Amino acid sequence: NRVEVDVSGNVVDNLGKEEPVPGYNVQLTIDAELQKVAEQALHAQMEYLRKYGGSPNAYAGALVALDPNTGAILAMVSRPTFNPNLFSTGISYKDWREINENPFHPMDNKAISGEYPPGSTFKIVTAATALETGKVTPEELYYDRGYHPLVPEKGNDEGKALGSINLKTALAKSDNVYFYEMGLRTGIDKLEEYSRKFGFGSLTGINLDGESEGLVASRDYKRRVFDEDWYLAETFDATIGQGFQLATPIQLAIATASVANGGIRYLPYLIEKILDQNGKVIKEFKKEKIA
């Protein structure tokens, strides 16, 4: 309904009424049952960490599940959350303060915006870099002493030595020293190159606001930010997803999916179809290869 008002806000003329028209419907790629299970699993894990895992502030987390053959998002969870209905009629000061001052930032979609050290999940990238550059074969045995001889302070958890291991065992046991050696062989420049091929350090392109790029460890980054040279110990950190490395949960999901599907990186998407009020498909979204 359109009206004309004077300077005091009084209605002086009715300019006509336009009847509302139903908007389009959106069909998501989300699997409702999987979404429910994912939310329960994340909640249970954070609760466990607070009670028994030595992490009393484990109130923030994210989870992403996608179809590796299409890039379709099947479940996406970010915690903590908030009730969006509070904004529908004008949020109260009390409710806004609770959301805005929450130190765990409930309004951030951590699945796409949270930047975290990827840790041992990144060893897949280090392994792929060493294999693709011919610096190792799956069968080659490397002797793990529990530490790397070139940087002895860099070792496995509690200094545990696994002895002669190949790539498969190193991945299965999440052995640090083996991947330090792979970093030594490939160098940080090649590791940076292949990290970017996996999609790290750039937006995935998902059609949601607020996505973060993460950070790929590199000589250039350290020089620009700290004006310092690069050290071998920092290469070792990078190989196991620590040091300067930062990734979003969705980047990790896509990188893992590209290994599972044989090396294809698909554009992640949340909308499957847009339909009018009669159920007619206006637009349909399908898998899109990006690398």
Side-chain angles (χ1 to χ4, degrees):
N1 193 22
R2 294 184 298 124
V3 296
E4 180 182 346
V5 298
D6 61 22
V7 293
S8 300
N10 301 310
V11 176
V12 296
D13 193 12
N14 191 329
L15 302 179
K17 183 178 181 180
E18 188 173 331
E19 294 298 327
V21 177
Y24 291 151
N25 294 313
V26 173
Q27 182 175 318
L28 301 179
T29 59
I30 295 291
D31 182 309
E33 286 302 313
L34 183 59
Q35 178 72 23
K36 182 179 179 180
V37 170
E39 292 184 10
Q40 293 171 341
L42 183 59
H43 175 80
Q45 181 64 21
M46 291 194 299
E47 191 173 60
Y48 173 85
L49 290 172
R50 290 194 299 271
K51 288 183 177 180
Y52 310 110
S55 300
N57 290 322
Y59 289 97
L63 187 153
V64 178
L66 55 81
D67 185 340
N69 296 309
T70 63
I73 303 294
L74 303 178
M76 179 179 286
V77 186
S78 178
R79 290 293 183 269
T81 187
F82 65 95
N83 183 1
N85 291 321
L86 294 174
F87 291 88
S88 62
T89 56
I91 191 167
S92 70
Y93 174 76
K94 175 179 175 292
D95 289 335
W96 170 245
R97 185 175 179 180
E98 286 183 4
I99 294 173
N100 193 47
E101 296 184 3
N102 187 318
F104 302 104
H105 306 291
M107 294 187 71
D108 291 345
N109 182 355
K110 295 173 179 61
I112 65 169
S113 68
E115 297 174 304
Y116 311 102
S120 291
T121 59
F122 192 80
K123 290 173 181 175
I124 292 175
V125 179
T126 304
T129 305
L131 287 170
E132 289 295 311
T133 55
K135 301 299 183 181
V136 74
T137 64
E139 300 80 18
E140 180 188 340
L141 294 176
Y142 172 75
Y143 190 79
D144 168 26
R145 301 172 174 84
Y147 63 92
H148 198 282
L150 293 184
V151 188
E153 62 269 26
K154 295 292 184 182
N156 293 326
D157 186 35
E158 299 181 349
K160 185 176 181 181
L162 297 186
S164 295
I165 56 174
N166 60 17
L167 176 61
K168 182 178 180 180
T169 301
L171 281 171
K173 300 290 186 179
S174 192
D175 184 78
N176 289 347
V177 175
Y178 180 95
F179 291 99
Y180 294 155
E181 176 64 19
M182 296 304 104
L184 174 65
R185 296 183 187 186
T186 63
I188 189 60
D189 298 332
K190 278 295 178 184
L191 187 62
E192 177 194 2
E193 176 187 338
Y194 278 83
S195 297
R196 297 191 186 283
K197 288 182 178 180
F198 273 92
F200 294 104
S202 60
L203 302 180
T204 67
I206 190 170
N207 192 18
L208 291 174
D209 290 333
E211 186 180 7
S212 300
E213 294 184 347
L215 178 65
V216 173
S218 68
R219 298 179 194 273
D220 177 66
Y221 171 77
K222 191 182 180 190
R223 176 60 66 187
R224 282 188 294 105
V225 176
F226 300 100
D227 194 25
E228 295 177 358
D229 294 331
W230 187 264
Y231 297 106
L232 179 60
E234 291 165 328
T235 298
F236 285 3
D237 288 338
T239 63
I240 62 170
Q242 297 180 6
F244 297 119
Q245 305 279 39
L246 294 174
T248 63
I250 195 168
Q251 285 176 334
L252 283 168
I254 291 171
T256 305
S258 66
V259 174
N261 66 29
I264 302 172
R265 188 149 52 95
Y266 288 110
L267 179 73
Y269 63 101
L270 266 169
I271 299 175
E272 188 170 305
K273 295 176 182 177
I274 298 177
L275 309 99
D276 65 16
Q277 56 269 33
N278 298 316
K280 180 183 177 182
V281 176
I282 302 299
K283 187 173 183 179
E284 188 170 2
F285 298 84
K286 296 182 179 180
K287 65 182 181 181
E288 182 179 336
K289 181 179 176 180
I290 54 177

